[in-house]
Amino acid sequence: MLKPLCEQNGIPVYGLYVNGQWVASAQEVLAPDHSPADNALIAYVHQASATEIEAALHSAQCAAKDWANTLVATKEALFFRLREVILARRTEIQQLLIRESGSAFKKALWEIDYVIDLIQTMVGEIRRISGETMPTTIDGRVSMSFRQPLGVVLGICPFNSPFLLTMKKVVPAVAAGNAIIIKPSEETPLSGLLIADLFEEAGLPPGVLNVINAAVSDVSPALTEDPRIKAITFTGSTRTGRLLAEGAARGLKRITLEMGGKGPLVVLRDADLDAAVRAATFGAFLHQGQVCMAGSRVIVDSALHDEFCTRFVERAKQVRVGPPDQEDTVVGPLIRLSQCAFIAGQIEDAVSKGAVVRCGGTHDGPYFAPTVLSGVTPAMRIYHEESFGPVVSVLRAQDTQDALRLANDTAYGLSAAVMTENLRDAWYFAQNIEAGMVHVNDSTISDEPHVPFGGVKSSGFGREGGRYSIEEMTELKWVTFQTGKASFPF
C-alpha cells in the first residue's frame, strides 16, 4: 500500500521518490490531487524544488553506472518479482486508477493486464539486446556493433492511462540498463508514486527510478537541458511536445514524442456496416475519448453515410455513462470540468457553421454525453482540433479517393483504420494513409507491448514497444579489431 508522509487536516500528504527515499520538498510546496468523478480532495502531493531535482539527477547518474553492468539474470529476476507484486496489488492499483484518473472499472483492469504483458515482453527482450558482426574491406579487421545503455532517461507522462503509459517508459528504460526519472502528469501524481512503490517492493536498487512531481513548466528547463539527461520520452499534447523538442534540440538530446491525434476511421462502400459501427463506438468512446488513438473522425462513403449515421447514433445512445467504479460504465468523467467547456465550445462553433448534433452535445458536471456530429466541414474548429472527449464527427466521402483525401486532411498522424472487404483497397489505404499505425477492419485504438507504436506529423516521432523501445533507449556503437598490423597510406 502506498503510504503518505503525513496527513494535513485528515488528507494524506505524499512525498517525492528520490534515491530510494520518500522525501518532502525542501520548499514544502504542496499541490492538491482531486478525483475527477466528484472533485473530492484525495491527497496533497509535494512539488519538487531545485533541491530534489538535483538530488534525482545525481542519484540517477550514479545508479545508472552500476545498473548498466548488472547481470541479465539479475534484471530478469527483478521483473519477475515486479510482475508478482503487481498481481498481488491488482485491486489497489485498479482503485487508484478509478479514483485519480476517472478510469472506468474495466479500462483500469485493462491497464494492469497490459502492464503484465509489457513486463513479460521486456523480460524476453533483455537477452536480445545485441549487435552484429559486419564484413569489411580492410585486411585483418574484425568489424562489429553492440548496444549500450544511454545513462539517465527522463520520462514525462500523461494522465489518461497513467499506469500503462508510465510503465511503457519505465520498464523498457530499466530493462535496457538505464536509470530513469519520471515526471507524472499533474492530474495523476499518485499513479507515478505508486509505480515507484511497486518497483521498491520488487527490489529495484535506489536511484534507478526517481519520481518528481511538479508542473512541466517548473521542471522542464532544469531536467530537459541538463547534460546528465541523455534522452527524453514524452507522451502528451503536441503543444508541450514541441516545447520539449526545442529544449532537447538545444542540448542535442535524443527525444521520443507520442502526442495528439485526430484518428480517421474510414468506412468504404463494401464495408460490413455493423462491424464498422462497433469499431467506431469503441474507438470514439473508450475512456471518454481521452485516448490519443481515438477515432474522432469517421469518414463514410456516401453510399453508406445515412444508414451508418442512423445505426451509429442508436448505438452511441446505448453507451453507459456513469461513475467509473461501476462495472458496466463505459464513459466516466473527463479529467477536469474545464475540458467540458472546451468541447462545448467546439460543438457550438460547429453548429453555428452548419453541423448537426445527432446525439449528445451536453454534459452533467464532468460527465459528457457520447456525442455524434454530422455535416462537419474544414471551416469548423472541431474538424482540426483534438477534442479529447467522447465526441466524433461523421464525414461524407464521395468515393475511395475522397475518403483518403479526408483521412489525410489533418495535422496529426497517429492511428487510422479502414473498414473494407476489398483487399486491394485495404492495402492501398495501409500504404497511403499518413499515420504511424493503420488497422484494417478494426478500431483506431489498438496497442500491444511488442509493436512499433508511434506516429508521424504532429503526432510525434520515434517508436515505443518491444525491441523498438530498446533501440530508442540504447546507443549503437561500432567497434573494430585489427588482428594483424594495420597499414596506412602515410
Side-chain angles (χ1 to χ4, degrees):
M1 179 69 70
L2 182 62
K3 296 180 180 178
L5 294 179
C6 61
E7 288 190 357
Q8 184 169 300
N9 298 323
I11 303 298
V13 177
Y14 293 90
L16 308 163
Y17 188 71
V18 178
N19 197 25
Q21 300 293 319
W22 299 95
V23 300
S25 166
Q27 296 179 349
E28 296 188 349
V29 175
L30 302 180
D33 186 17
H34 292 273
S35 170
D38 55 11
N39 201 39
L41 178 61
I42 58 177
Y44 291 109
V45 180
H46 277 272
Q47 302 297 285
S49 68
T51 301
E52 292 77 52
I53 292 173
E54 173 57 32
L57 285 164
H58 178 73
S59 65
Q61 184 183 37
C62 294
K65 297 175 182 177
D66 289 335
W67 185 247
N69 294 319
T70 299
L71 293 176
V72 169
T74 303
K75 293 175 183 173
E76 288 173 336
L78 168 84
F79 283 114
F80 286 136
R81 293 193 300 271
L82 178 64
R83 179 184 182 276
E84 295 308 308
V85 169
I86 291 172
L87 288 172
R89 298 174 63 176
R90 181 183 177 90
T91 300
E92 175 195 351
I93 299 167
Q94 181 197 21
Q95 290 175 348
L96 179 60
L97 291 173
I98 291 171
R99 187 70 168 142
E100 185 179 49
S101 71
S103 293
F105 187 96
K106 292 180 180 178
K107 183 265 186 182
L109 287 179
W110 169 74
E111 279 199 56
I112 299 168
D113 290 341
Y114 184 101
V115 169
I116 295 297
D117 196 6
L118 169 66
I119 291 169
Q120 294 168 172
T121 297
M122 296 315 300
V123 167
E125 291 296 336
I126 290 174
R127 289 184 187 257
R128 291 197 290 266
I129 303 175
S130 60
E132 59 183 341
T133 57
M134 293 165 279
T136 177
T137 60
I138 299 174
D139 287 338
R141 171 178 283 185
V142 177
S143 180
M144 66 185 69
S145 67
F146 62 89
R147 290 192 171 275
Q148 291 180 307
L150 297 173
V152 181
V153 175
L154 171 63
I156 302 178
C157 310
F159 71 81
N160 54 338
S161 290
F163 187 61
L164 186 163
L165 292 175
T166 303
M167 281 294 212
K168 204 172 181 181
K169 301 181 185 308
V170 175
V171 173
V174 173
N178 301 291
I180 185 168
I181 300 171
I182 62 171
K183 208 298 291 181
S185 166
E186 297 95 303
E187 308 286 356
T188 52
L190 297 185
S191 296
L193 295 173
L194 178 60
I195 287 171
D197 194 51
L198 297 171
F199 268 98
E200 183 179 66
E201 185 175 341
L204 185 68
V208 178
L209 170 62
N210 297 271
V211 181
I212 295 295
N213 277 306
V216 172
S217 58
D218 292 339
V219 301
S220 181
L223 285 172
T224 59
E225 298 182 28
D226 192 285
R228 288 166 289 187
I229 297 291
K230 302 303 181 184
I232 302 166
T233 172
F234 168 76
T235 299
S237 72
T238 298
R239 182 184 61 83
T240 301
R242 290 184 190 278
L243 295 174
L244 291 172
E246 291 172 4
R250 285 191 291 271
L252 296 178
K253 298 180 189 299
R254 186 178 301 189
I255 187 167
T256 302
L257 297 174
E258 196 275 281
M259 302 186 291
K262 196 71 178 173
L265 171 65
V266 178
V267 182
L268 299 182
R269 65 176 55 216
D270 65 337
D272 180 326
L273 202 53
D274 287 335
V277 168
R278 291 194 300 272
T281 303
F282 177 80
F285 304 131
L286 175 68
H287 193 43
Q288 300 78 266
Q290 298 174 129
V291 181
C292 53
M293 298 173 282
S296 55
R297 296 183 299 140
V298 182
I299 300 164
V300 187
D301 189 281
S302 58
L304 298 180
H305 178 274
D306 293 348
E307 181 61 21
F308 174 88
C309 284
T310 298
R311 297 192 195 185
F312 185 34
V313 168
E314 289 175 357
R315 194 169 183 89
K317 289 179 178 178
Q318 296 170 7
V319 171
R320 171 83 162 86
V321 180
D325 59 349
Q326 296 183 6
E327 192 167 350
D328 61 344
T329 291
V330 173
V331 171
L334 292 177
I335 193 66
R336 65 185 79 87
L337 188 59
S338 60
Q339 189 67 16
C340 291
F342 173 79
I343 296 169
Q346 288 182 322
I347 294 172
E348 181 181 357
D349 171 77
V351 170
S352 71
K353 296 172 181 175
V356 176
V357 178
R358 295 294 189 104
C359 66
T362 61
H363 66 95
D364 181 6
Y367 295 86
F368 211 103
T371 301
V372 178
L373 300 176
S374 63
V376 174
T377 71
M380 304 168 188
R381 286 172 48 202
I382 201 167
Y383 183 93
H384 305 281
E385 296 176 350
E386 189 175 26
S387 299
F388 232 57
V391 182
V392 58
S393 301
V394 181
L395 310 178
R396 185 190 296 269
Q398 298 307 311
D399 52 30
T400 300
Q401 291 295 323
D402 191 40
L404 179 64
R405 179 190 65 80
L406 289 169
N408 288 336
D409 189 23
T410 174
Y412 297 103
L414 185 60
S415 185
V418 56
M419 307 294 296
T420 180
E421 299 298 312
N422 185 302
L423 180 59
R424 180 176 296 175
D425 285 342
W427 183 243
Y428 176 75
F429 272 82
Q431 286 184 305
N432 290 288
I433 286 183
E434 296 167 355
M437 302 173 288
V438 181
H439 306 293
V440 177
N441 290 327
D442 205 343
S443 166
T444 56
I445 297 179
S446 185
D447 188 12
E448 296 183 68
H450 60 283
V451 304
F453 186 100
V456 298
K457 301 197 293 188
S458 291
S459 291
F461 48 79
R463 295 295 181 266
E464 292 181 322
R467 67 179 177 87
Y468 308 98
S469 284
I470 295 297
E471 291 170 2
E472 298 278 347
M473 300 284 189
T474 55
E475 194 69 71
L476 188 64
K477 180 176 286 187
W478 178 45
V479 176
T480 68
F481 285 85
Q482 179 55 248
T483 60
K485 289 188 176 181
S487 61
F488 305 99
F490 57 88

